[in-house]
Amino acid sequence: MSFRFVVGSMVVSFLLSGCATWSQTQVTNPNTAIKEIKQVSPDQVQLTEGDMTNRPYVSLGDLAVTVNKTTIFHPEPTKEMIDAKLKEEAAKLGADAVIYVRYGTVGISALSWGSLDGKGRAIQFTSN
């Protein structure tokens, strides 16, 4: 086997590996006073870039998510992808909404062909 064939095979394998985007999440300052996590579907979680002043709530924690483009052939990460990931993570905490949603900018990193960050605060409405 020639050197070109081996190198070419490695390059093709690298480019075709990982056929989907991947993401990561971090929750900081989780509210440990919440005893029971209620079941919430991501579809039920509301998102807003501001605060929700019309209903009382408790903070469940700050969320930080990243959506990455695995290969050059995948679409660029979008705000809609960040929204879906924030809703998914908030639902795991039993949140009704994510407030103070912020988006980063798409950039290339050592581990990704494109990366987009998003942040927000997961909240749960109270009956008071």
Side-chain angles (χ1 to χ4, degrees), residues 46 48 50-57 97 99-100 123 125 128:
Q46 300 174 39
T48 180
D51 195 2
M52 288 199 160
T53 57
N54 59 337
R55 294 178 70 179
Y57 62 81
I99 60 175
Y100 305 128
I123 63 167
F125 297 124
N128 297 349

Side-chain angles (χ1 to χ4, degrees), residues 52-127:
M52 288 199 160
T53 57
N54 59 337
R55 294 178 70 179
Y57 62 81
V58 294
S59 174
L60 300 178
D62 294 330
L63 303 174
V65 300
T66 303
V67 176
N68 295 289
K69 177 179 173 179
T70 306
T71 69
I72 196 168
F73 304 109
H74 289 98
E76 293 292 327
T78 64
K79 288 183 178 182
E80 290 78 19
M81 291 175 176
I82 291 295
D83 289 348
K85 191 66 180 168
L86 284 170
K87 287 182 173 189
E88 179 184 319
E89 296 303 320
K92 290 178 186 176
L93 298 174
D96 295 306
V98 179
I99 60 175
Y100 305 128
V101 174
R102 299 289 181 260
Y103 306 96
T105 56
V106 177
I108 296 174
S109 69
L111 301 175
S112 171
W113 284 96
S115 170
L116 181 61
D117 298 325
K119 295 181 179 187
R121 179 167 300 148
I123 63 167
Q124 188 177 77
F125 297 124
T126 60
S127 57

Side-chain angles (χ1 to χ4, degrees), residues 1-13:
M1 291 201 318
S2 73
F3 177 73
R4 286 185 186 177
F5 177 77
V6 172
V7 171
S9 297
M10 290 173 57
V11 169
V12 169
S13 296

Side-chain angles (χ1 to χ4, degrees), residues 10-69:
M10 290 173 57
V11 169
V12 169
S13 296
F14 175 73
L15 290 175
L16 296 178
S17 67
C19 294
T21 59
W22 58 276
S23 60
Q24 61 189 33
T25 304
Q26 178 181 359
V27 179
T28 55
N29 303 321
N31 186 341
T32 55
I34 303 296
K35 303 275 189 246
E36 184 178 318
I37 296 177
K38 67 180 183 175
Q39 295 294 317
V40 176
S41 167
D43 299 349
Q44 298 172 306
V45 176
Q46 300 174 39
L47 293 179
T48 180
E49 292 183 16
D51 195 2
M52 288 199 160
T53 57
N54 59 337
R55 294 178 70 179
Y57 62 81
V58 294
S59 174
L60 300 178
D62 294 330
L63 303 174
V65 300
T66 303
V67 176
N68 295 289
K69 177 179 173 179

